[in-house]
């Protein structure tokens, strides 16, 4: 199974709401990632978790709060978002292939902030 | 910072043509290079991964090459089909090995 799953597929939230995005993989990968992708732009790295610990935070605003409860699950908690945060949020995990890593992506959550 | 450039930004070809997508990167100290396909509004599908020690990888009608010294990779698609229409993204691993740097992609349209 080389699948990364994300829920929900679509999310509409107001600027005062609190919501969470969920990502799951059962490939035994120990690194998991959140990316943000705006329309017609490449994905931008937000966070990296390695062995369930946050290893990289690409200067993401605090209204985005990641959480890694266990090695298979990654959450992104959202609070007081702005309309410009509307985007496709992609989760990924990686495994070692030889001396390098191959990354697998989920289908994404399409977020709209109203 | 590693910069990844993809040329052309958009490409339209008739069905059956062979085509080449180009990717260049500024820092040759990479772990690997990965090509992805993305359909509109969807996630990324990995097509090919080339490790830094490799020169090329093949999968079906796809062939990707890597020239680390010149900072270039090409994705060759043989006998293109309308179903190949998508955005193709090139990405390289930065030295830490924990993140991908993406190019802006090539939007491909294959017309029947």
């Amino acid at each position: 199974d080389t699948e990364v799953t994300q829920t929900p597929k679509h999310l509409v939230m107001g600027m005062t709401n609190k919501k969470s995005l969920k990502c799951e993989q059962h490939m035994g990968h120990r690194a998991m990632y959140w990316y943000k992708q705006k329309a017609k732009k490449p994905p931008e790295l937000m966070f990296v978790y390695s062995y369930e610990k946050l290893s990289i935070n690409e200067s993401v605003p605090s209204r985005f709060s990641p959480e890694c409860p266990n090695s298979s699950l990654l959450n992104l908690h959202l609070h007081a978002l702005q309309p410009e945060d509307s985007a496709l949020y992609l989760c990924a995990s990686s495994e070692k292939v030889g001396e390098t890593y191959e990354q697998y992506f989920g289908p994404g959550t399409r977020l709209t902030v109203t | 910072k590693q910069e990844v450039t993809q040329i052309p930004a958009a490409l339209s070809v008739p069905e059956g043509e062979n085509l080449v997508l180009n990717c260049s990167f500024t820092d040759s100290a990479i772990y690997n290079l990965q090509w992805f396909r993305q359909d509109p509004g969807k996630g990324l599908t990995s097509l090919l991964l080339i490790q830094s020690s490799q020169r090329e990888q093949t999968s079906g009608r796809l062939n990707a090459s890597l020239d680390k010294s010149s900072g270039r990779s090409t994705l060759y698609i043989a006998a293109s089909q309308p179903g190949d229409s998508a955005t193709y993204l090139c990405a390289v691993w930065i030295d830490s090995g924990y993140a991908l740097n993406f190019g802006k992609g090539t939007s491909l349209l294959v017309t029947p």
Side-chain angles (χ1 to χ4, degrees), chain A residues 33 37 42 97 100-101 103 107, chain B residues 32 34 38 43 93 98 100 103:
Chain A
Y33 310 74
Q37 187 179 25
V97 177
T100 190
Y101 289 84
Q103 200 162 55
Chain B
N32 65 16
Q34 204 165 349
Q38 187 173 33
W93 282 89
Y98 279 108
L100 279 170

Side-chain angles (χ1 to χ4, degrees), chain B residues 4-11 20-24 35 72-75 88 90 103-107:
Chain B
V4 181
T5 303
Q6 291 188 245
I7 295 173
L11 182 62
V20 175
L21 307 182
N22 297 291
C23 172
S24 61
W35 282 94
R72 294 181 182 180
S73 175
T74 61
L75 178 66
Y88 291 80
C90 166
K104 293 184 177 180
T106 293
S107 177

Side-chain angles (χ1 to χ4, degrees), chain B residues 21-98:
Chain B
L21 307 182
N22 297 291
C23 172
S24 61
F25 45 95
T26 54
D27 187 346
S28 61
I30 63 170
Y31 279 121
N32 65 16
L33 183 144
Q34 204 165 349
W35 282 94
F36 294 90
R37 168 186 172 140
Q38 187 173 33
D39 294 294
K42 305 294 185 182
L44 277 65
T45 301
S46 179
L47 297 174
L48 291 164
L49 178 146
I50 311 176
Q51 297 185 40
S52 61
S53 59
Q54 298 174 327
R55 299 283 294 183
E56 66 176 343
Q57 284 287 332
T58 298
S59 176
R61 294 183 293 109
L62 305 179
N63 176 276
S65 66
L66 174 64
D67 184 342
K68 251 184 56 171
S69 60
S70 66
R72 294 181 182 180
S73 175
T74 61
L75 178 66
Y76 176 81
I77 302 177
S80 58
Q81 303 170 358
D84 295 329
S85 299
T87 295
Y88 291 80
L89 292 158
C90 166
V92 297
W93 282 89
I94 61 176
D95 285 355
S96 69
Y98 279 108

